Amino acid sequence: MNDNDCLFCRIVAGEIPAETVHVTERTVAFRDINAQAPLHVLVVPKDHYADAAALAAGDPAASAELVTTAAAVAAAEGYDDYRLVLNTGAGAGQTVFHTHLHVLAGRPLTWPPG
Ligand code: 5GP
Ligand code: ZN
């Protein structure tokens, strides 16, 4: 269930290099190429789903695994506090239409976000 035109499918397949930090049965976590914080990792399902709602509907176990993987990455890098972001739709800042959970930590994170 992969899409050859999808950037993150190609990273999951190893066709495009990425700095992978954690792999589970259903997810891959790799560093964002344009980090917005000392820790900025993207956790993606191995299978292609366009956004978080599609993933939750189509593969709830993978949806849960995104969050447990994010927590494992934050813990492994020594962060108790972190922010998880799922930009959903272009109007909310989504630019890659393969679900990805941003994990951000290591600097003060203000609220509300921009
Ligand atoms: P979005 O704006 O869709 O929520 O997040 C997409 C993220 O993917 C951005 O933070 C962007 O920096 C990151 N990104 C885009 N292209 C690449 C890439 O080729 N490799 C990696 N590691 N991250 C990427
Ligand atoms: Zn994809």
Side-chain angles (χ1 to χ4, degrees):
M1 205 157 96
N2 284 7
D3 178 348
N4 210 35
D5 295 329
C6 170
L7 175 63
F8 289 171
C9 282
R10 297 191 69 193
I11 286 177
V12 168
E15 294 168 9
I16 292 175
E19 194 180 335
T20 299
V21 296
H22 201 81
V23 179
T24 67
E25 184 183 349
R26 299 177 184 81
T27 74
V28 178
F30 53 89
R31 295 194 196 282
D32 195 294
I33 205 167
N34 184 23
Q36 300 300 313
L39 177 69
H40 189 173
V41 163
L42 304 174
V43 187
V44 307
K46 289 179 178 173
D47 289 338
H48 182 90
Y49 289 91
D51 61 30
L55 179 66
D59 190 347
S63 193
E65 208 165 296
L66 285 191
V67 178
T68 54
T69 299
V73 167
E77 305 235 354
Y79 296 106
D80 292 328
D81 300 334
Y82 52 89
R83 180 168 292 169
L84 303 182
V85 176
L86 289 162
N87 293 326
T88 305
Q94 187 176 6
T95 60
V96 179
F97 289 84
H98 177 131
T99 309
H100 49 284
L101 179 60
H102 294 260
V103 188
L104 296 146
R107 66 168 171 81
L109 295 164
T110 58
W111 193 264

